Amino acid sequence: MLKISKFGGSSLATAEQVRRVCDIITADPKRRLIVVSAPGKRHSEDIKVTDLLIAAASQRLTGKIGASECAETIERYRSIAAGLELPAEVVEPIARDLTERLEKSTTDANLYMDTMKAGGEDNCARLIAQALQARGVEAHYVSPKDAGLILSDEPGNAQVLPEAYNRLRDLRERPGITIFPGFFGYSKQGNIVTFSRGGSDITGAILASAVRAEVYENFTDVDSVFAANPSIVKDPAPISELTYREMRELSYAGFSVFHDEALEPVYRAQVPVHIRNTNNPKSDGTLIVPSRKSTDIPVVGIAAIDSVCCIYLSKYLMNREIGFGRRLLQILESEGVSFEHVPSGIDNMSVIIREENLPVKKEKRIVEQIRQTLGPEDISVERGLSLIMVVGEGMRHTIGIASRATHALASAQVNIEMINQGSNEVSMMFGIKSDDMETAVQTLYAEYFA
Ligand code: ASP
């Protein structure tokens, strides 16, 4: 059996971190397939290599040169290599590669941007392979193209194509330790395309599913997933185990430890995910599994999505009007707006949308189309809302979870504008004013975890 281990950017930001990563890789002979991100921030004010590359690409796309950002990126690799006492020549092909990328044609701006972004992971993987080789370990870089990671032709937001899985399965047979760059693959036309930001998690999940790994270890910079956002709740409880569905709900609502799109491949193949800390590999971490033994814990976490808005409309006898909902959603579709939830009553419907997906100009057009097509008596758009999610599989079997939440929110003077419970009963959602968001999360955390 084999383990997939993915290391995030903060685990690869300095030579010291890379040394730790190499120690972890070599500590377990089952760690034979390694996915790496690009070097991340070395301290809170630092810039991630991916952001430096985006800055360089943006310069070129606006007719400038981007040389200083590119040089800064090369310098990051140089300082890691120097700290690892690798020979200086190791950096030469990296410098050449990044310079060549920078000078590529910018005719297709999206493809150019993705080619630049992918340079962060690609060169990091080459460097880590060399760092392991310098320790006398058999390690090889593999290109996602040679390995068969074929993605949809959607620059910056690609998705894996089903045929990739069969081809990637052969990675199992490779000798030694394989170092695979995260975040990007190739379209059928042979172009580099990247996943959305943070997408190295997705690469690891696809590989874990393709080779049917025993476990997908996701090494990051925290000891575990916590029951609430530590910037809102002081010292929140660690979660030792949670299900894919619970993690999906939490990452949907802003828990950024694990990319939400990364859950689908591992869920399908039923590969457990182990979130672990590179800086504290002895800690237990968090295990994401198909089903949880401890259903006596009804709620595992409280999450919040800030900056959502709600289109509210009402029309008398709406419930008799066949196709009302479809026509409403079609208007959003034709404007390319994705929605989050559609709570409805007898004569009214609300559509919850992330504010970033509904700029004011679009809002005006959509409202006008709704007025003309559906003739509502009332239509309004409310901005500045938050969605609070109470998440836990155990809620299904426990009476009174909702009543505890509403009671706690009322005691904290938080007005609930909307309640929605998904039919799978893994989460309960409360719509409130964004000004109350922190109070609501703290109050609900205290209710279920204190
Ligand atoms: N380096 C990419 C990013 O910063 C992908 C990743 O780290 O997972 O988004």
Side-chain angles (χ1 to χ4, degrees):
M1 279 296 245
L2 121 95
K3 293 180 176 178
I4 309 284
S5 308
K6 179 256 164 179
F7 294 89
S10 57
S11 304
L12 299 155
T14 62
E16 199 191 335
Q17 290 293 83
V18 171
R19 232 179 247 124
R20 281 201 185 114
V21 166
C22 293
D23 290 344
I24 293 172
I25 295 173
T26 50
D28 184 341
K30 286 185 177 174
R31 293 190 180 120
R32 290 199 295 112
L33 192 45
I34 310 300
V35 175
V36 294
S37 288
K41 293 184 180 192
R42 294 160 292 185
H43 47 81
S44 59
E45 278 80 50
D46 203 13
I47 305 176
K48 287 172 153 201
V49 158
T50 308
D51 290 314
L52 280 173
L53 290 167
I54 292 172
S58 307
Q59 291 282 325
R60 275 238 38 222
L61 287 169
T62 49
K64 294 176 206 119
I65 299 170
S68 66
E69 290 82 359
C70 187
E72 216 181 304
T73 312
I74 295 167
E75 191 45 43
R76 294 285 280 272
Y77 290 101
R78 199 184 307 282
S79 93
I80 296 173
L84 293 171
E85 291 166 20
L86 294 174
E89 305 88 78
V90 161
V91 189
E92 281 164 22
I94 296 178
R96 221 175 12 250
D97 173 80
L98 290 170
T99 313
E100 276 168 20
R101 281 177 203 255
L102 183 73
E103 286 165 2
K104 279 202 180 331
S105 155
T106 54
T107 317
D108 185 325
N110 294 330
L111 287 182
Y112 177 72
M113 181 55 92
D114 273 18
T115 302
M116 284 298 284
K117 276 152 70 183
E121 271 65 14
D122 209 22
N123 287 298
C124 189
R126 290 174 201 274
L127 188 61
I128 301 303
Q130 306 228 27
L132 286 163
Q133 285 159 10
R135 289 184 177 208
V137 176
E138 185 183 0
H140 307 278
Y141 156 88
V142 67
S143 149
K145 191 173 203 170
D146 296 340
L149 182 51
I150 316 161
L151 307 183
S152 63
D153 198 3
E154 294 172 87
N157 197 23
Q159 298 191 54
V160 64
L161 295 181
E163 56 262 45
Y165 286 97
N166 264 339
R167 297 187 53 189
L168 291 166
R169 194 153 303 137
D170 293 347
L171 286 169
R172 275 192 305 212
E173 316 308 332
R174 294 178 75 91
I177 298 173
T178 301
I179 313 293
F180 198 107
F183 192 36
F184 74 96
Y186 285 78
S187 68
K188 280 191 173 158
Q189 294 77 15
N191 295 320
I192 293 177
V193 269
T194 68
F195 295 115
S196 53
R197 291 300 304 267
S200 299
D201 282 352
I202 308 176
T203 307
I206 293 165
L207 299 194
S209 166
V211 304
R212 301 279 151 168
E214 170 184 320
V215 64
Y216 171 20
E217 295 180 305
N218 195 285
F219 281 92
T220 175
D221 52 7
V222 289
D223 275 351
S224 63
V225 179
F226 294 103
N229 182 343
S231 66
I232 300 180
V233 170
K234 196 168 174 286
D235 296 331
I239 307 177
S240 59
E241 188 180 62
L242 78 175
T243 66
Y244 297 118
R245 297 201 305 172
E246 289 170 331
M247 189 66 223
R248 161 84 180 116
E249 300 274 340
L250 291 171
S251 36
Y252 164 79
F255 276 39
S256 56
V257 171
F258 194 60
H259 197 299
D260 65 345
E261 285 177 46
L263 280 163
E264 200 263 343
V266 279
Y267 166 74
R268 261 194 313 121
Q270 301 278 288
V271 177
V273 181
H274 196 178
I275 308 283
R276 308 191 62 176
N277 190 349
T278 303
N279 302 322
N280 186 13
K282 291 215 167 75
S283 85
D284 291 340
T286 297
L287 208 54
I288 309 171
V289 286
S291 63
R292 191 151 60 81
K293 283 165 235 116
S294 44
T295 39
D296 52 322
I297 306 170
V299 172
V300 292
I302 315 289
I305 309 178
D306 204 7
S307 305
V308 294
C309 57
C310 174
I311 303 179
Y312 168 87
L313 61 157
S314 69
K315 186 177 185 186
Y316 197 62
L317 284 182
M318 182 192 92
N319 63 324
R320 300 289 308 270
E321 209 174 304
I322 292 172
F324 190 94
R326 181 186 53 75
R327 279 181 285 151
L328 170 62
L329 296 179
Q330 209 156 42
I331 293 171
L332 294 175
E333 186 183 342
S334 65
E335 284 287 343
V337 173
S338 72
F339 67 89
E340 306 298 314
H341 307 275
V342 190
S344 65
I346 316 171
D347 287 335
N348 54 68
M349 269 178 104
S350 304
V351 188
I352 312 289
I353 299 167
R354 291 186 196 251
E355 289 205 45
E356 69 203 33
N357 295 335
L358 192 69
V360 176
K361 264 196 186 153
K362 251 188 196 175
E363 173 195 319
K364 290 210 169 99
R365 276 203 308 266
I366 287 172
V367 167
E368 196 40 47
Q369 282 185 61
I370 294 176
R371 277 213 176 94
Q372 282 174 15
T373 321
L374 298 167
E377 276 132 27
D378 200 10
I379 177 160
S380 59
V381 179
E382 187 176 1
R383 290 183 177 263
L385 298 174
S386 290
L387 303 177
I388 308 291
M389 315 272 287
V390 177
V391 177
E393 298 259 8
M395 286 194 303
R396 217 174 316 144
H397 314 285
T398 317
I399 294 169
I401 299 288
S403 115
R404 280 174 70 184
T406 50
H407 190 258
L409 291 173
S411 313
Q413 300 293 309
V414 173
N415 183 32
I416 302 173
E417 307 222 344
M418 187 174 38
I419 302 182
N420 196 5
Q421 181 171 36
S423 34
N424 59 8
E425 285 194 52
V426 179
S427 71
M428 226 167 6
M429 188 191 87
F430 299 97
I432 59 167
K433 290 246 189 303
S434 287
D435 290 346
D436 290 332
M437 196 258 280
E438 294 205 350
T439 312
V441 172
Q442 285 156 355
T443 304
L444 292 171
Y445 180 82
E447 178 62 34
Y448 297 111
F449 294 93

